Structure formats: structure tokens, C-alpha cells
């Protein structure tokens, strides 16, 4: 490992983020209170510390809605940080479970995420699937149509590491954390697997001795799967507060490993550098990413049968919008009535607030799912 580090021009890209489950082991409002504290701290840190370069806001614009419900006076500052590239938002409205929501719901999710992000002046063109319990085969096709040429995900593919033999599950395996992901129609994107999960750069120490131990382990883990000298370290985890001293911690790492380039990065810069240094041949993974052989990050398929009543209510809501309300509104528009875009957007967004992977999958506390029943009703009543 040490020899490899000394002979490479490696850049360690540290991306600060939080993975924000809107509701899960606590009801929505409990998590909401924590979100306000997180966002207040983030904005304060970005204002006070120019060395804290940027923060990835988990790929879902609903976080902005939830924050501004309580802190509307923060909107000008939030907009400025987004325009300046300090906060990266979108491209989704929520981080859904792709298998338990309809095809149209997946399209609308990306559409509304783009529309919301555009209002703030910037859209993160990253196909972000950090914690989906498996990924839909058509994702590369959908992403390409939205002008997104990459996908970052945590489940469904097994990284085999250098010099390992690919086994009989070759369609789900890659020797690297980088691969090509191909949809059934042939659309392709660069796939980036969180081989060491999206917390592999969490809580970086700034103390030299602690940092020496931390990086000796972490660098070896990421090097095992990387196909290029650009290594990804995700500085965050589920509901993780902002690491306010990240800039100091990165400075310590640079002093300990002067032969490496440690940067407080973002996905735009990381993916651009990665694409410029990829090997000529990468493994091609086709269709759905649903392998259970994922070194511990399994696809949790049994959630498909958990709390069946939620799946039934969701199907009713989706069918009402897709097969009845919207087609009838088109007929009415042809006859001279105004098309109610605003009402349908509101109905779809209310429905999609039940689509996050810990919500529609039925794996949260009872209070979460009781609230979901009320949301399904509100969405139906709006059409």
C-alpha cells in the first residue's frame, strides 16, 4: 500500500454531505427539527470558513422545501450559496425506492427535482442513488434523457478488488468501484459504486496521531477498488451533522501524506477528473442492480412485502393521477378549460413524499406509516 501511494499522483476527493432520511427511526417532525439545526449549522459554516468549500445536499430538493418552511428568512443566503457552488442540489425531488414506485413517478421525481433546483440557479447533474434498495434497469436511459451521464449508487453490485477472479455472478460484479451501467435500450452511464459505503470519509480526525491511524486504514480500503488515481471519500452519513472542522482535518491529512493531494471536493470536480483518467476497458453491468452479493450492503428485497396496505394505497394514488385525473384534464383543456399544472404538481409531490426508500418500503416506525396514510389521502383529494 505504501509503495503504491509513493509512486502515484493520487488525489483524494473529500465530499462533505449528509444522507437525509426524511423519516425513518423517528417520525418526520422529529427528523425535521434535526434538519433545521443541520442547515443552520451548514450555512453558518459556509459563511465563516472559506476553507469549507462545499456540501452535497443528498441529491433531493425536498430538503430545501422542508428547511424553508421553518426558516423562510434564510432563502437569500441559501440561494447565494447554491449559485456560488457551495451547496449542490438536485437532481431528484426525493430519494425514492425505484421498484415500488411507478415508471411515471420515477420520471416525475426527476422532473420536479430539476424544476425546483432550476429556481435556485443550479442543478447537480449527478445520478444520485446512495441508499436505494436496488436500482431500476432503465435508470441510465432516464438519466441520459435528463443530460446526466453518470450514476452514483451504493447497492446491487459487488466490487471484487484488484487481482480477484470474477465469479458466476459476473453480471453484477466489477473489479473496480467504477464501471459502465447499461439500460435495456443500450443507454450507458458511468457507474460509481460506494464500494466502502457513503460514510468512508466520515468524521475525519484533525489530531495528527488519530489522523495517522484513520488514513492508514481508509486509504487502503479505497485503493483496493479504485481504477484511477482519483479516490472518493464521503464525509458524512445518515443524518450526520456537518463536520465543521473538515478544512483543518484535510490540512492535517495533507501534512501527513505530502505525496498525495487532499481536496475538499464536489461531485462535479471529482467526476470530471475521474472521466479523464478511466482505464480503456471497464466492466459493463446491465439492467437492474439487485445482486445480494454486495459485501454487506444488500438490496433489502423483503421490503416489497412489508406493510402491503401502503403499496396498495400508493398504487391507487398513482393510477388516479396517471390514468384518470391527468387524461381527463387534457380532454377538458382541449374543450377550452385551463390545464391545472399547479394542482397536479402539488398532488404528485404530496404522493412522492411517501416514496422515499424508508417510507414506501414500510421499514420505519409505526408513526411514520400512519402519517403516510394521511398523505395518500391528501394527494387523492387534490385531484
Amino acid at each position: 500500500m505504501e509503495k503504491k501511494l509513493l509512486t502515484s499522483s493520487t488525489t483524494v476527493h473529500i465530499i462533505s454531505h449528509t444522507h437525509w432520511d426524511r423519516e425513518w427511526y423517528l417520525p418526520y417532525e422529529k427528523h425535521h427539527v434535526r434538519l433545521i439545526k443541520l442547515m443552520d449549522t451548514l450555512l453558518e459554516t459556509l459563511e465563516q470558513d472559506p476553507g469549507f468549500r462545499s456540501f452535497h445536499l443528498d441529491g433531493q430538493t425536498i430538503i430545501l422545501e422542508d428547511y424553508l418552511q421553518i426558516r423562510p428568512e434564510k432563502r437569500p443566503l441559501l440561494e447565494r450559496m447554491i449559485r456560488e457552488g457551495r451547496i449542490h442540489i438536485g437532481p431528484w425531488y426525493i430519494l425514492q425506492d425505484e421498484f415500488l414506485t411507478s415508471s411515471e413517478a420515477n420520471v416525475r421525481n426527476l422532473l420536479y427535482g430539476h424544476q425546483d433546483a432550476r429556481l435556485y440557479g443550479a442543478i447537480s447533474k449527478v445520478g444520485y442513488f446512495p441508499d436505494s434498495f436496488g436500482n431500476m434497469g432503465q435508470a441510465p436511459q432516464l438519466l441520459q434523457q435528463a443530460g446526466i451521464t453518470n450514476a452514483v449508487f451504493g447497492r446491487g453490485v459487488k466490487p471484487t478488488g484488484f487481482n480477484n477472479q470474477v465469479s458466476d455472478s459476473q453480471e453484477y460484479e466489477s473489479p473496480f468501484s467504477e464501471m459502465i451501467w447499461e439500460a435495456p435500450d443500450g443507454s450507458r452511464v458511468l457507474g460509481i459504486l460506494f464500494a466502502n459505503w457513503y460514510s468512508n470519509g466520515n468524521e475525519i480526525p484533525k489530531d495528527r496521531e488519530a489522523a495517522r491511524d484513520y488514513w492508514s486504514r481508509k486509504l487502503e480500503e479505497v485503493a483496493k477498488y479504485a481504477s484511477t488515481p482519483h479516490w472518493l471519500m464521503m464525509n458524512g452519513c445518515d443524518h450526520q451533522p456537518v463536520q465543521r472542522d473538515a478544512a483543518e482535518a484535510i490540512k492535517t491529512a495533507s501534512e501527513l501524506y505530502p505525496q498525495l493531494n487532499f481536496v475538499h471536493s464536489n461531485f462535479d470536480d471529482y467526476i470530471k477528473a475521474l472521466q479523464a483518467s478511466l482505464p480503456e476497458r471497464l466492466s459493463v453491468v446491465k439492467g437492474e442492480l439487485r445482486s445480494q452479493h454486495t459485501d454487506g450492503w444488500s438490496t433489502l428485497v423483503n421490503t416489497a412485502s412489508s406493510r402491503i396496505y401502503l403499496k396498495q394505497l400508493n398504487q391507487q394514488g398513482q393510477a388516479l393521477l396517471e390514468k384518470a385525473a391527468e387524461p381527463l384534464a387534457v380532454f377538458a383543456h382541449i374543450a377550452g378549460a385551463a390545464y391545472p399544472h399547479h394542482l397536479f404538481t402539488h398532488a404528485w409531490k404530496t404522493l412522492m413524499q411517501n416514496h422515499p426508500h424508508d417510507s414506501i418500503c414500510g421499514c420505519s416506525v409505526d408513526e411514520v406509516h400512519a402519517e403516510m396514510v394521511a398523505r395518500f389521502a391528501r394527494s387523492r383529494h387534490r385531484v
Side-chain angles (χ1 to χ4, degrees), residues 226-238:
S227 67
T228 81
H230 293 278
W231 296 355
L232 177 61
M233 306 295 295
M234 296 295 288
N235 176 230
C237 195
D238 295 11

Side-chain angles (χ1 to χ4, degrees), residues 228-299:
T228 81
H230 293 278
W231 296 355
L232 177 61
M233 306 295 295
M234 296 295 288
N235 176 230
C237 195
D238 295 11
H239 303 113
Q240 184 72 18
V242 178
Q243 183 176 347
R244 302 195 66 172
D245 61 358
E248 295 177 64
I250 292 171
K251 181 180 178 181
T252 298
S254 298
E255 293 170 352
L256 290 173
Y257 294 89
Q259 70 275 37
L260 302 179
N261 182 28
F262 289 85
V263 295
H264 200 206
S265 192
N266 57 73
F267 276 110
D268 291 343
D269 292 346
Y270 164 68
I271 291 173
K272 182 178 180 180
L274 187 71
Q275 289 175 325
S277 58
L278 288 170
E280 289 187 8
R281 297 187 64 182
L282 290 174
S283 295
V284 178
V285 180
K286 297 183 178 182
E288 295 177 352
L289 306 185
R290 51 183 172 80
S291 174
Q292 294 296 321
H293 301 286
T294 55
D295 291 341
W297 312 116
S298 59
T299 53

Side-chain angles (χ1 to χ4, degrees), residues 92 98 110 125-129 135-153 157 177-193 271 274-275 278 282-287 289:
W92 302 101
E98 304 149 55
L110 192 57
K125 289 291 188 175
V126 178
Y128 202 61
F129 305 92
N135 292 286
M136 57 185 174
Q138 287 79 14
Q141 178 182 354
L142 179 59
L143 294 173
Q144 282 282 5
Q145 291 176 359
I148 299 172
T149 60
N150 60 80
V152 186
F153 51 89
V157 175
S177 50
E178 298 80 38
M179 65 204 74
I180 301 300
W181 185 12
E182 182 179 303
D185 77 330
S187 298
R188 291 185 169 191
V189 295
L190 171 63
I192 302 167
L193 173 69
I271 291 173
L274 187 71
Q275 289 175 325
L278 288 170
L282 290 174
S283 295
V284 178
V285 180
K286 297 183 178 182
L289 306 185

Side-chain angles (χ1 to χ4, degrees), residues 113-124:
H114 272 63
Q115 288 178 353
D116 288 352
R118 194 172 290 116
L119 295 175
Y120 292 87
I123 305 169
S124 176

Side-chain angles (χ1 to χ4, degrees), residues 49-67:
D49 184 2
F52 192 99
R53 294 181 57 199
S54 66
F55 193 86
H56 186 75
L57 204 55
D58 203 33
Q60 49 178 334
T61 59
I62 195 171
I63 291 176
L64 305 172
E65 288 185 2
D66 289 344
Y67 179 58

Side-chain angles (χ1 to χ4, degrees), residues 15-22 25 29-47 52 54-68 70-71 74 77-78 81 86-89 202-203 235-244:
I15 299 180
S16 292
H17 78 108
T18 189
H19 175 52
W20 200 262
D21 297 296
R22 195 167 182 259
Y25 53 83
E29 289 299 348
K30 292 288 187 180
H31 284 309
H32 196 185
V33 170
R34 296 184 178 193
L35 175 65
I36 306 310
K37 182 177 181 180
L38 172 110
M39 292 298 297
D40 283 347
T41 302
L42 172 60
L43 291 172
E44 182 179 286
T45 302
L46 290 169
E47 276 199 299
F52 192 99
S54 66
F55 193 86
H56 186 75
L57 204 55
D58 203 33
Q60 49 178 334
T61 59
I62 195 171
I63 291 176
L64 305 172
E65 288 185 2
D66 289 344
Y67 179 58
L68 294 176
I70 308 299
R71 291 292 238 161
K74 294 290 186 177
L77 176 59
L78 187 59
M81 292 301 176
R86 307 288 300 282
I87 296 177
H88 295 258
I89 63 170
N202 193 26
E203 296 182 350
N235 176 230
C237 195
D238 295 11
H239 303 113
Q240 184 72 18
V242 178
Q243 183 176 347
R244 302 195 66 172

